[in-house]
Amino acid sequence: PASVAPPRNRCTFGVFEPETLFFWDDDCTMGDLGCWADGLHQQCRFCGSGLYHDVACPAARTTGAQSAKSEGVARPVGANSYTSAK
């Protein structure tokens, strides 16, 4: 049912977010390192450390209600997460 569907355009981890950084990457495709980080969304991607050290986390950060893509910068969407602006 729609009432229990995970949010769109946002990584969803339940109660505990992982310690590894993650972000929303619209360009993530099956087989790309770090994609499917939350197990629900192909675009949710781990980055920055450990196995994912070669996946760059977004560098620019800001806050705001507009989507990061329209702002042209990344914005925090959780304690360890950033929405990528591509």
Side-chain angles (χ1 to χ4, degrees), residues 28-59:
C28 238
T29 59
M30 183 65 89
D32 287 349
L33 182 63
C35 297
W36 295 94
D38 64 0
L40 298 171
H41 301 96
Q42 176 176 302
Q43 300 86 356
C44 185
R45 189 172 202 177
F46 285 127
C47 64
S49 64
L51 180 62
Y52 312 103
H53 71 276
D54 287 336
V55 178
C57 294

Side-chain angles (χ1 to χ4, degrees), residues 4-22:
V4 294
R8 293 181 184 200
N9 300 325
R10 184 165 188 249
C11 297
T12 306
F13 289 97
V15 178
F16 300 103
E17 290 185 354
E19 291 186 24
T20 303
L21 295 176
F22 57 91

Side-chain angles (χ1 to χ4, degrees), residues 2-3 11 16 23 40 42 45 54 62-63 65 68 73 77 82 86:
S3 62
C11 297
F16 300 103
F23 68 104
L40 298 171
Q42 176 176 302
R45 189 172 202 177
D54 287 336
T62 188
T63 59
V73 294
V77 293
Y82 299 90
K86 290 197 172 199

